[in-house]
Amino acid sequence: MLTLAQWTVAEYHQMIAAGLLVDRRVELLNGQIIEMSPEGPEHTYRGETLAEWLRDRLRGRAYVREARPITLDHSEPEPDIAVVRGDRSQFVQRHPGAADLFWVIEIARSTLKTDLTHKRDLYARVGIPEYWVVDLVNRRVVVFRQPEAGRYSQEETVSDRPIAPLAFPDCAIDLAQLFQP
């Protein structure tokens, strides 16, 4: 059996500052440095489209980050979209943490299994109120809500109707429009 070295967020930041991870697409998940999968064109398109839509509707109410780190207990993932309380100026010296987040969104094709298991468990454990996985394979969104005792107590799969985040019920996203060619 292999024993892997576990890294803290502080050690991960030291590696970044020392230039050890230059030109590497990695994120820290549960103390392990994980290579990130390259994005395909549809992943990029759907993510950019959704982020722009959210920025338009949430302007002045939330800060929308794309593929940028969030700092959690033993992790520093880079969700495709993070909807953050406050504005950008609050994050000059630090990345947003779990308490700063309304919800996070991952766009998934090749990472679908990881996003529906490991990342779901991570986000629930730290108390992120809502987590969506935009499933490009099956043209649906899996919605996780209400973290309790390290697990999301609600899970819903939506493919045929608009959905709205708990924090912004007036911002329903039409899935037919999200997945249109």
Side-chain angles (χ1 to χ4, degrees), residues 33-96:
I33 299 172
I34 307 294
E35 291 278 352
M36 294 170 56
S37 295
E39 286 186 10
E42 184 183 17
H43 181 285
T44 301
Y45 176 80
R46 302 287 178 213
E48 287 176 344
T49 300
L50 183 53
E52 286 174 16
W53 189 91
L54 290 169
R55 280 190 190 97
D56 287 345
R57 277 143 190 92
L58 299 177
R59 188 162 275 109
R61 299 193 286 168
Y63 166 37
V64 178
R65 289 170 59 109
E66 281 184 84
R68 298 288 184 234
I70 58 176
T71 302
L72 307 176
D73 55 0
H74 305 289
S75 302
E76 198 163 89
E78 296 186 19
D80 292 305
I81 299 172
V83 181
V84 183
R85 289 178 170 80
D87 63 57
R88 280 170 48 161
S89 64
Q90 294 174 251
F91 303 103
V92 173
Q93 299 297 319
R94 67 179 181 90
H95 297 303

Short mmCIF file of all heavy atoms in Angstrom, two decimals, residues 33-96:
data_model
loop_
_atom_site.label_atom_id
_atom_site.label_comp_id
_atom_site.label_asym_id
_atom_site.label_seq_id
_atom_site.Cartn_x
_atom_site.Cartn_y
_atom_site.Cartn_z
N ILE A 33 -2.45 16.97 -3.98
CA ILE A 33 -2.35 17.83 -5.16
C ILE A 33 -2.78 16.99 -6.36
O ILE A 33 -2.17 15.98 -6.68
CB ILE A 33 -0.92 18.38 -5.32
CG1 ILE A 33 -0.57 19.23 -4.09
CG2 ILE A 33 -0.81 19.19 -6.61
CD1 ILE A 33 0.86 19.67 -4.03
N ILE A 34 -3.85 17.44 -7.00
CA ILE A 34 -4.49 16.69 -8.07
C ILE A 34 -4.35 17.45 -9.39
O ILE A 34 -4.61 18.66 -9.44
CB ILE A 34 -6.00 16.50 -7.77
CG1 ILE A 34 -6.22 15.89 -6.37
CG2 ILE A 34 -6.69 15.71 -8.87
CD1 ILE A 34 -5.73 14.49 -6.20
N GLU A 35 -3.94 16.74 -10.44
CA GLU A 35 -3.91 17.34 -11.78
C GLU A 35 -5.34 17.59 -12.24
O GLU A 35 -6.21 16.73 -12.08
CB GLU A 35 -3.24 16.40 -12.79
CG GLU A 35 -1.76 16.21 -12.58
CD GLU A 35 -0.90 17.30 -13.18
OE1 GLU A 35 -1.40 18.18 -13.91
OE2 GLU A 35 0.30 17.28 -12.89
N MET A 36 -5.59 18.75 -12.80
CA MET A 36 -6.91 19.09 -13.31
C MET A 36 -7.01 18.65 -14.77
O MET A 36 -6.05 18.79 -15.53
CB MET A 36 -7.16 20.59 -13.18
CG MET A 36 -7.24 21.04 -11.72
SD MET A 36 -7.25 22.84 -11.50
CE MET A 36 -8.62 23.33 -12.48
N SER A 37 -8.17 18.16 -15.14
CA SER A 37 -8.40 17.75 -16.53
C SER A 37 -8.46 18.99 -17.42
O SER A 37 -8.99 20.02 -17.02
CB SER A 37 -9.72 17.00 -16.66
OG SER A 37 -9.67 15.81 -15.94
N PRO A 38 -7.95 18.89 -18.65
CA PRO A 38 -8.09 20.00 -19.58
C PRO A 38 -9.56 20.20 -19.94
O PRO A 38 -10.34 19.24 -19.94
CB PRO A 38 -7.28 19.57 -20.80
CG PRO A 38 -6.79 18.20 -20.54
CD PRO A 38 -7.23 17.76 -19.20
N GLU A 39 -9.91 21.43 -20.24
CA GLU A 39 -11.29 21.74 -20.61
C GLU A 39 -11.49 21.54 -22.10
O GLU A 39 -10.70 22.02 -22.90
CB GLU A 39 -11.62 23.21 -20.30
CG GLU A 39 -11.80 23.50 -18.86
CD GLU A 39 -12.25 24.94 -18.62
OE1 GLU A 39 -12.59 25.67 -19.59
OE2 GLU A 39 -12.25 25.35 -17.46
N GLY A 40 -12.59 20.90 -22.44
CA GLY A 40 -12.99 20.82 -23.84
C GLY A 40 -13.74 22.08 -24.23
O GLY A 40 -14.14 22.88 -23.37
N PRO A 41 -13.96 22.28 -25.53
CA PRO A 41 -14.63 23.49 -25.99
C PRO A 41 -16.03 23.67 -25.40
O PRO A 41 -16.40 24.79 -25.03
CB PRO A 41 -14.71 23.31 -27.51
CG PRO A 41 -13.68 22.30 -27.84
CD PRO A 41 -13.51 21.44 -26.63
N GLU A 42 -16.82 22.60 -25.30
CA GLU A 42 -18.17 22.76 -24.75
C GLU A 42 -18.13 23.15 -23.28
O GLU A 42 -18.91 23.98 -22.82
CB GLU A 42 -19.00 21.49 -24.94
CG GLU A 42 -20.43 21.72 -24.45
CD GLU A 42 -21.33 20.52 -24.51
OE1 GLU A 42 -20.84 19.37 -24.62
OE2 GLU A 42 -22.56 20.73 -24.43
N HIS A 43 -17.20 22.56 -22.54
CA HIS A 43 -17.04 22.91 -21.12
C HIS A 43 -16.80 24.41 -20.98
O HIS A 43 -17.44 25.09 -20.18
CB HIS A 43 -15.87 22.10 -20.54
CG HIS A 43 -15.61 22.34 -19.10
ND1 HIS A 43 -15.00 23.47 -18.63
CD2 HIS A 43 -15.88 21.57 -18.01
CE1 HIS A 43 -14.89 23.40 -17.31
NE2 HIS A 43 -15.41 22.25 -16.92
N THR A 44 -15.86 24.92 -21.76
CA THR A 44 -15.53 26.34 -21.72
C THR A 44 -16.73 27.18 -22.11
O THR A 44 -17.07 28.16 -21.43
CB THR A 44 -14.33 26.64 -22.64
OG1 THR A 44 -13.22 25.86 -22.20
CG2 THR A 44 -13.97 28.11 -22.62
N TYR A 45 -17.39 26.82 -23.20
CA TYR A 45 -18.53 27.59 -23.69
C TYR A 45 -19.66 27.63 -22.66
O TYR A 45 -20.19 28.71 -22.35
CB TYR A 45 -19.05 26.99 -25.01
CG TYR A 45 -20.29 27.68 -25.51
CD1 TYR A 45 -20.20 28.90 -26.18
CD2 TYR A 45 -21.55 27.14 -25.29
CE1 TYR A 45 -21.34 29.55 -26.62
CE2 TYR A 45 -22.69 27.78 -25.72
CZ TYR A 45 -22.59 28.99 -26.39
OH TYR A 45 -23.72 29.64 -26.81
N ARG A 46 -20.05 26.48 -22.12
CA ARG A 46 -21.16 26.44 -21.15
C ARG A 46 -20.79 27.20 -19.88
O ARG A 46 -21.60 27.92 -19.31
CB ARG A 46 -21.56 25.01 -20.81
CG ARG A 46 -21.96 24.17 -21.98
CD ARG A 46 -23.32 24.52 -22.54
NE ARG A 46 -23.55 23.65 -23.70
CZ ARG A 46 -24.23 24.01 -24.77
NH1 ARG A 46 -24.80 25.19 -24.83
NH2 ARG A 46 -24.37 23.19 -25.78
N GLY A 47 -19.56 27.05 -19.43
CA GLY A 47 -19.12 27.75 -18.22
C GLY A 47 -19.10 29.26 -18.41
O GLY A 47 -19.59 30.01 -17.56
N GLU A 48 -18.53 29.72 -19.53
CA GLU A 48 -18.50 31.16 -19.79
C GLU A 48 -19.91 31.73 -19.94
O GLU A 48 -20.21 32.81 -19.42
CB GLU A 48 -17.70 31.45 -21.06
CG GLU A 48 -16.22 31.28 -20.90
CD GLU A 48 -15.45 31.48 -22.20
OE1 GLU A 48 -16.06 31.46 -23.29
OE2 GLU A 48 -14.22 31.65 -22.12
N THR A 49 -20.77 31.01 -20.65
CA THR A 49 -22.14 31.46 -20.87
C THR A 49 -22.88 31.60 -19.55
O THR A 49 -23.54 32.60 -19.28
CB THR A 49 -22.88 30.50 -21.83
OG1 THR A 49 -22.18 30.47 -23.07
CG2 THR A 49 -24.31 30.93 -22.06
N LEU A 50 -22.78 30.57 -18.70
CA LEU A 50 -23.46 30.60 -17.41
C LEU A 50 -22.89 31.69 -16.51
O LEU A 50 -23.65 32.43 -15.85
CB LEU A 50 -23.36 29.23 -16.74
CG LEU A 50 -24.08 29.07 -15.40
CD1 LEU A 50 -25.55 29.47 -15.49
CD2 LEU A 50 -23.94 27.63 -14.91
N ALA A 51 -21.58 31.85 -16.48
CA ALA A 51 -20.96 32.89 -15.65
C ALA A 51 -21.39 34.29 -16.09
O ALA A 51 -21.69 35.15 -15.26
CB ALA A 51 -19.44 32.76 -15.67
N GLU A 52 -21.43 34.53 -17.39
CA GLU A 52 -21.88 35.84 -17.89
C GLU A 52 -23.33 36.09 -17.50
O GLU A 52 -23.69 37.20 -17.09
CB GLU A 52 -21.73 35.90 -19.41
CG GLU A 52 -20.31 36.05 -19.88
CD GLU A 52 -20.18 35.97 -21.40
OE1 GLU A 52 -21.20 36.11 -22.12
OE2 GLU A 52 -19.05 35.76 -21.88
N TRP A 53 -24.18 35.07 -17.66
CA TRP A 53 -25.59 35.19 -17.30
C TRP A 53 -25.73 35.54 -15.82
O TRP A 53 -26.50 36.43 -15.44
CB TRP A 53 -26.31 33.88 -17.63
CG TRP A 53 -27.79 33.96 -17.51
CD1 TRP A 53 -28.67 34.27 -18.50
CD2 TRP A 53 -28.58 33.70 -16.34
NE1 TRP A 53 -29.96 34.24 -18.00
CE2 TRP A 53 -29.93 33.88 -16.69
CE3 TRP A 53 -28.27 33.34 -15.03
CZ2 TRP A 53 -30.97 33.72 -15.77
CZ3 TRP A 53 -29.30 33.18 -14.12
CH2 TRP A 53 -30.62 33.37 -14.49
N LEU A 54 -24.97 34.84 -14.96
CA LEU A 54 -25.02 35.10 -13.52
C LEU A 54 -24.52 36.50 -13.18
O LEU A 54 -25.10 37.19 -12.34
CB LEU A 54 -24.22 34.03 -12.76
CG LEU A 54 -24.84 32.64 -12.75
CD1 LEU A 54 -23.84 31.62 -12.20
CD2 LEU A 54 -26.14 32.62 -11.96
N ARG A 55 -23.43 36.93 -13.82
CA ARG A 55 -22.91 38.27 -13.55
C ARG A 55 -23.96 39.34 -13.87
O ARG A 55 -24.13 40.29 -13.12
CB ARG A 55 -21.66 38.53 -14.36
CG ARG A 55 -20.43 37.94 -13.78
CD ARG A 55 -19.16 38.43 -14.49
NE ARG A 55 -18.06 37.63 -14.01
CZ ARG A 55 -17.57 36.56 -14.62
NH1 ARG A 55 -18.05 36.18 -15.79
NH2 ARG A 55 -16.58 35.88 -14.10
N ASP A 56 -24.64 39.18 -15.01
CA ASP A 56 -25.68 40.14 -15.39
C ASP A 56 -26.78 40.22 -14.35
O ASP A 56 -27.25 41.30 -14.00
CB ASP A 56 -26.30 39.78 -16.74
CG ASP A 56 -25.37 40.04 -17.91
OD1 ASP A 56 -24.37 40.78 -17.73
OD2 ASP A 56 -25.64 39.51 -19.00
N ARG A 57 -27.23 39.08 -13.84
CA ARG A 57 -28.36 39.05 -12.93
C ARG A 57 -28.00 39.31 -11.48
O ARG A 57 -28.84 39.72 -10.69
CB ARG A 57 -29.10 37.73 -13.07
CG ARG A 57 -30.05 37.81 -14.25
CD ARG A 57 -30.14 36.53 -15.00
NE ARG A 57 -30.86 36.68 -16.26
CZ ARG A 57 -30.29 36.94 -17.43
NH1 ARG A 57 -28.99 37.13 -17.49
NH2 ARG A 57 -30.99 37.03 -18.53
N LEU A 58 -26.76 39.05 -11.11
CA LEU A 58 -26.36 39.18 -9.71
C LEU A 58 -25.52 40.42 -9.44
O LEU A 58 -25.04 40.61 -8.31
CB LEU A 58 -25.62 37.92 -9.25
CG LEU A 58 -26.44 36.63 -9.31
CD1 LEU A 58 -25.57 35.44 -8.91
CD2 LEU A 58 -27.68 36.72 -8.45
N ARG A 59 -25.36 41.26 -10.44
CA ARG A 59 -24.55 42.47 -10.28
C ARG A 59 -25.02 43.27 -9.06
O ARG A 59 -26.20 43.52 -8.90
CB ARG A 59 -24.63 43.34 -11.53
CG ARG A 59 -23.67 44.52 -11.51
CD ARG A 59 -23.44 45.11 -12.88
NE ARG A 59 -22.36 44.35 -13.54
CZ ARG A 59 -22.55 43.51 -14.56
NH1 ARG A 59 -23.73 43.32 -15.05
NH2 ARG A 59 -21.53 42.88 -15.10
N GLY A 60 -24.09 43.59 -8.17
CA GLY A 60 -24.41 44.33 -6.96
C GLY A 60 -24.89 43.45 -5.82
O GLY A 60 -25.04 43.94 -4.69
N ARG A 61 -25.14 42.16 -6.08
CA ARG A 61 -25.61 41.26 -5.02
C ARG A 61 -24.61 40.16 -4.71
O ARG A 61 -24.62 39.61 -3.61
CB ARG A 61 -26.94 40.61 -5.42
CG ARG A 61 -28.04 41.63 -5.64
CD ARG A 61 -29.39 40.96 -5.71
NE ARG A 61 -29.59 40.24 -6.97
CZ ARG A 61 -30.58 39.39 -7.17
NH1 ARG A 61 -31.46 39.13 -6.23
NH2 ARG A 61 -30.71 38.79 -8.34
N ALA A 62 -23.74 39.83 -5.66
CA ALA A 62 -22.75 38.77 -5.47
C ALA A 62 -21.62 38.96 -6.47
O ALA A 62 -21.78 39.62 -7.50
CB ALA A 62 -23.39 37.39 -5.67
N TYR A 63 -20.51 38.35 -6.16
CA TYR A 63 -19.32 38.36 -7.01
C TYR A 63 -19.22 36.96 -7.63
O TYR A 63 -19.24 35.95 -6.93
CB TYR A 63 -18.13 38.70 -6.12
CG TYR A 63 -16.74 38.46 -6.67
CD1 TYR A 63 -16.42 38.69 -8.00
CD2 TYR A 63 -15.72 38.04 -5.83
CE1 TYR A 63 -15.13 38.49 -8.47
CE2 TYR A 63 -14.43 37.84 -6.29
CZ TYR A 63 -14.15 38.06 -7.61
OH TYR A 63 -12.88 37.86 -8.08
N VAL A 64 -19.12 36.89 -8.96
CA VAL A 64 -19.06 35.62 -9.67
C VAL A 64 -17.63 35.40 -10.14
O VAL A 64 -17.10 36.19 -10.92
CB VAL A 64 -20.04 35.60 -10.87
CG1 VAL A 64 -19.93 34.29 -11.64
CG2 VAL A 64 -21.48 35.83 -10.39
N ARG A 65 -17.01 34.32 -9.64
CA ARG A 65 -15.63 33.96 -10.00
C ARG A 65 -15.66 32.75 -10.92
O ARG A 65 -16.44 31.83 -10.71
CB ARG A 65 -14.83 33.59 -8.75
CG ARG A 65 -14.53 34.76 -7.86
CD ARG A 65 -13.96 34.31 -6.52
NE ARG A 65 -12.73 33.53 -6.60
CZ ARG A 65 -11.53 33.96 -6.23
NH1 ARG A 65 -11.38 35.19 -5.79
NH2 ARG A 65 -10.48 33.17 -6.30
N GLU A 66 -14.76 32.74 -11.89
CA GLU A 66 -14.64 31.61 -12.81
C GLU A 66 -13.27 30.95 -12.66
O GLU A 66 -12.24 31.61 -12.81
CB GLU A 66 -14.74 32.08 -14.26
CG GLU A 66 -16.13 32.34 -14.74
CD GLU A 66 -16.11 32.71 -16.21
OE1 GLU A 66 -16.09 31.81 -17.06
OE2 GLU A 66 -16.12 33.92 -16.48
N ALA A 67 -13.29 29.66 -12.36
CA ALA A 67 -12.08 28.84 -12.32
C ALA A 67 -10.96 29.49 -11.51
O ALA A 67 -9.82 29.56 -11.95
CB ALA A 67 -11.61 28.50 -13.73
N ARG A 68 -11.32 29.95 -10.33
CA ARG A 68 -10.35 30.56 -9.41
C ARG A 68 -10.43 29.83 -8.08
O ARG A 68 -11.46 29.28 -7.71
CB ARG A 68 -10.67 32.05 -9.19
CG ARG A 68 -10.59 32.88 -10.44
CD ARG A 68 -9.14 33.05 -10.86
NE ARG A 68 -9.04 33.92 -12.01
CZ ARG A 68 -8.41 33.59 -13.12
NH1 ARG A 68 -7.85 32.41 -13.25
NH2 ARG A 68 -8.33 34.43 -14.12
N PRO A 69 -9.35 29.82 -7.31
CA PRO A 69 -9.33 29.06 -6.07
C PRO A 69 -10.30 29.58 -5.01
O PRO A 69 -10.58 30.77 -4.92
CB PRO A 69 -7.89 29.24 -5.57
CG PRO A 69 -7.11 29.70 -6.74
CD PRO A 69 -8.06 30.44 -7.62
N ILE A 70 -10.78 28.63 -4.23
CA ILE A 70 -11.45 28.92 -2.97
C ILE A 70 -10.68 28.15 -1.91
O ILE A 70 -10.20 27.04 -2.17
CB ILE A 70 -12.95 28.54 -2.98
CG1 ILE A 70 -13.17 27.07 -3.30
CG2 ILE A 70 -13.71 29.43 -3.97
CD1 ILE A 70 -14.62 26.60 -3.22
N THR A 71 -10.49 28.73 -0.74
CA THR A 71 -9.69 28.07 0.29
C THR A 71 -10.61 27.43 1.32
O THR A 71 -11.42 28.11 1.95
CB THR A 71 -8.76 29.09 0.98
OG1 THR A 71 -7.91 29.68 -0.03
CG2 THR A 71 -7.88 28.41 2.02
N LEU A 72 -10.47 26.12 1.46
CA LEU A 72 -11.28 25.36 2.40
C LEU A 72 -10.36 24.72 3.44
O LEU A 72 -9.18 25.05 3.48
CB LEU A 72 -12.10 24.32 1.63
CG LEU A 72 -12.92 24.89 0.46
CD1 LEU A 72 -13.62 23.79 -0.31
CD2 LEU A 72 -13.92 25.94 0.94
N ASP A 73 -10.85 23.82 4.25
CA ASP A 73 -10.06 23.28 5.35
C ASP A 73 -8.73 22.67 4.91
O ASP A 73 -7.67 23.17 5.25
CB ASP A 73 -10.88 22.31 6.19
CG ASP A 73 -11.50 21.17 5.38
OD1 ASP A 73 -11.31 21.13 4.15
OD2 ASP A 73 -12.18 20.32 5.99
N HIS A 74 -8.75 21.61 4.15
CA HIS A 74 -7.52 20.96 3.67
C HIS A 74 -7.50 20.94 2.15
O HIS A 74 -6.93 20.03 1.54
CB HIS A 74 -7.42 19.52 4.20
CG HIS A 74 -7.51 19.44 5.69
ND1 HIS A 74 -6.50 19.88 6.51
CD2 HIS A 74 -8.50 19.01 6.51
CE1 HIS A 74 -6.86 19.71 7.77
NE2 HIS A 74 -8.06 19.19 7.79
N SER A 75 -8.12 21.94 1.55
CA SER A 75 -8.31 21.94 0.11
C SER A 75 -8.29 23.35 -0.45
O SER A 75 -8.63 24.31 0.25
CB SER A 75 -9.66 21.29 -0.25
OG SER A 75 -9.74 19.97 0.24
N GLU A 76 -7.92 23.43 -1.71
CA GLU A 76 -8.04 24.67 -2.43
C GLU A 76 -8.46 24.33 -3.87
O GLU A 76 -7.67 24.42 -4.80
CB GLU A 76 -6.75 25.48 -2.39
CG GLU A 76 -7.00 26.94 -2.77
CD GLU A 76 -5.88 27.85 -2.36
OE1 GLU A 76 -4.96 28.02 -3.17
OE2 GLU A 76 -5.94 28.40 -1.24
N PRO A 77 -9.73 23.93 -4.02
CA PRO A 77 -10.23 23.61 -5.35
C PRO A 77 -10.44 24.88 -6.17
O PRO A 77 -10.45 25.99 -5.62
CB PRO A 77 -11.57 22.91 -5.07
CG PRO A 77 -12.01 23.51 -3.78
CD PRO A 77 -10.75 23.77 -3.00
N GLU A 78 -10.63 24.69 -7.46
CA GLU A 78 -10.92 25.79 -8.37
C GLU A 78 -12.22 25.47 -9.11
O GLU A 78 -12.20 25.01 -10.24
CB GLU A 78 -9.76 25.99 -9.35
CG GLU A 78 -8.49 26.41 -8.64
CD GLU A 78 -7.36 26.77 -9.59
OE1 GLU A 78 -7.62 27.05 -10.78
OE2 GLU A 78 -6.21 26.79 -9.12
N PRO A 79 -13.36 25.68 -8.44
CA PRO A 79 -14.63 25.37 -9.10
C PRO A 79 -14.80 26.21 -10.36
O PRO A 79 -14.28 27.33 -10.45
CB PRO A 79 -15.69 25.71 -8.05
CG PRO A 79 -15.02 26.63 -7.10
CD PRO A 79 -13.55 26.29 -7.13
N ASP A 80 -15.54 25.67 -11.31
CA ASP A 80 -15.76 26.41 -12.55
C ASP A 80 -16.43 27.75 -12.29
O ASP A 80 -16.07 28.75 -12.90
CB ASP A 80 -16.58 25.55 -13.53
CG ASP A 80 -15.78 24.37 -14.01
OD1 ASP A 80 -14.67 24.59 -14.53
OD2 ASP A 80 -16.25 23.23 -13.86
N ILE A 81 -17.37 27.77 -11.36
CA ILE A 81 -18.02 29.02 -10.98
C ILE A 81 -18.22 29.00 -9.47
O ILE A 81 -18.68 28.01 -8.91
CB ILE A 81 -19.39 29.19 -11.69
CG1 ILE A 81 -19.20 29.23 -13.21
CG2 ILE A 81 -20.10 30.45 -11.20
CD1 ILE A 81 -20.50 29.21 -14.01
N ALA A 82 -17.89 30.10 -8.83
CA ALA A 82 -18.18 30.29 -7.41
C ALA A 82 -18.94 31.61 -7.29
O ALA A 82 -18.50 32.64 -7.80
CB ALA A 82 -16.90 30.34 -6.59
N VAL A 83 -20.07 31.55 -6.63
CA VAL A 83 -20.88 32.75 -6.40
C VAL A 83 -20.63 33.17 -4.96
O VAL A 83 -20.96 32.44 -4.02
CB VAL A 83 -22.37 32.50 -6.69
CG1 VAL A 83 -23.17 33.77 -6.47
CG2 VAL A 83 -22.55 31.99 -8.13
N VAL A 84 -20.01 34.35 -4.82
CA VAL A 84 -19.39 34.78 -3.57
C VAL A 84 -20.13 35.99 -2.98
O VAL A 84 -20.54 36.89 -3.70
CB VAL A 84 -17.91 35.15 -3.84
CG1 VAL A 84 -17.20 35.55 -2.57
CG2 VAL A 84 -17.18 34.01 -4.54
N ARG A 85 -20.26 35.99 -1.66
CA ARG A 85 -20.83 37.14 -0.94
C ARG A 85 -19.86 38.32 -1.04
O ARG A 85 -18.66 38.13 -0.98
CB ARG A 85 -21.01 36.81 0.54
CG ARG A 85 -22.11 35.84 0.81
CD ARG A 85 -22.21 35.53 2.32
NE ARG A 85 -23.40 34.77 2.60
CZ ARG A 85 -23.53 33.47 2.40
NH1 ARG A 85 -22.51 32.77 1.94
NH2 ARG A 85 -24.67 32.86 2.65
N GLY A 86 -20.39 39.51 -1.15
CA GLY A 86 -19.56 40.71 -1.17
C GLY A 86 -19.03 41.02 -2.56
O GLY A 86 -19.60 40.61 -3.56
N ASP A 87 -17.92 41.74 -2.59
CA ASP A 87 -17.33 42.11 -3.88
C ASP A 87 -15.85 41.73 -3.93
O ASP A 87 -15.27 41.35 -2.93
CB ASP A 87 -17.54 43.60 -4.19
CG ASP A 87 -16.86 44.51 -3.18
OD1 ASP A 87 -15.63 44.39 -3.00
OD2 ASP A 87 -17.55 45.34 -2.57
N ARG A 88 -15.29 41.85 -5.10
CA ARG A 88 -13.90 41.44 -5.34
C ARG A 88 -12.90 42.06 -4.40
O ARG A 88 -11.91 41.43 -4.03
CB ARG A 88 -13.47 41.85 -6.75
CG ARG A 88 -13.89 41.00 -7.80
CD ARG A 88 -13.64 41.55 -9.15
NE ARG A 88 -12.34 42.10 -9.44
CZ ARG A 88 -11.90 42.27 -10.64
NH1 ARG A 88 -12.64 41.93 -11.67
NH2 ARG A 88 -10.73 42.79 -10.86
N SER A 89 -13.12 43.31 -4.02
CA SER A 89 -12.13 44.02 -3.22
C SER A 89 -11.87 43.35 -1.87
O SER A 89 -10.84 43.58 -1.25
CB SER A 89 -12.55 45.48 -3.02
OG SER A 89 -13.75 45.54 -2.26
N GLN A 90 -12.78 42.50 -1.42
CA GLN A 90 -12.59 41.80 -0.15
C GLN A 90 -11.56 40.68 -0.26
O GLN A 90 -11.13 40.13 0.75
CB GLN A 90 -13.92 41.19 0.30
CG GLN A 90 -14.97 42.20 0.65
CD GLN A 90 -16.29 41.51 0.94
OE1 GLN A 90 -17.22 41.59 0.17
NE2 GLN A 90 -16.35 40.81 2.05
N PHE A 91 -11.15 40.35 -1.50
CA PHE A 91 -10.32 39.18 -1.70
C PHE A 91 -8.97 39.52 -2.31
O PHE A 91 -8.41 38.73 -3.08
CB PHE A 91 -11.09 38.13 -2.51
CG PHE A 91 -12.38 37.78 -1.84
CD1 PHE A 91 -13.58 38.29 -2.31
CD2 PHE A 91 -12.38 36.99 -0.70
CE1 PHE A 91 -14.77 38.00 -1.66
CE2 PHE A 91 -13.56 36.69 -0.04
CZ PHE A 91 -14.76 37.20 -0.52
N VAL A 92 -8.43 40.65 -1.93
CA VAL A 92 -7.10 41.05 -2.40
C VAL A 92 -6.03 40.22 -1.70
O VAL A 92 -5.04 39.82 -2.32
CB VAL A 92 -6.87 42.56 -2.15
CG1 VAL A 92 -5.44 42.97 -2.47
CG2 VAL A 92 -7.85 43.39 -2.95
N GLN A 93 -6.23 39.92 -0.43
CA GLN A 93 -5.22 39.22 0.38
C GLN A 93 -5.55 37.75 0.63
O GLN A 93 -4.76 37.04 1.25
CB GLN A 93 -5.05 39.92 1.73
CG GLN A 93 -4.58 41.35 1.60
CD GLN A 93 -3.20 41.46 0.96
OE1 GLN A 93 -2.31 40.67 1.26
NE2 GLN A 93 -3.03 42.41 0.07
N ARG A 94 -6.71 37.29 0.19
CA ARG A 94 -7.09 35.90 0.42
C ARG A 94 -8.13 35.47 -0.60
O ARG A 94 -8.79 36.30 -1.22
CB ARG A 94 -7.66 35.70 1.82
CG ARG A 94 -9.00 36.42 2.03
CD ARG A 94 -9.56 36.18 3.43
NE ARG A 94 -10.84 36.83 3.60
CZ ARG A 94 -12.03 36.29 3.33
NH1 ARG A 94 -12.10 35.05 2.87
NH2 ARG A 94 -13.15 36.95 3.52
N HIS A 95 -8.25 34.15 -0.76
CA HIS A 95 -9.31 33.59 -1.60
C HIS A 95 -10.56 33.45 -0.73
O HIS A 95 -10.47 33.31 0.49
CB HIS A 95 -8.91 32.21 -2.13
CG HIS A 95 -7.72 32.22 -3.03
ND1 HIS A 95 -7.66 32.98 -4.17
CD2 HIS A 95 -6.54 31.56 -2.95
CE1 HIS A 95 -6.50 32.78 -4.76
NE2 HIS A 95 -5.80 31.94 -4.04
N PRO A 96 -11.73 33.43 -1.35
CA PRO A 96 -12.94 33.19 -0.56
C PRO A 96 -12.89 31.81 0.11
O PRO A 96 -12.31 30.86 -0.42
CB PRO A 96 -14.06 33.21 -1.61
CG PRO A 96 -13.49 33.92 -2.79
CD PRO A 96 -12.02 33.65 -2.76
#
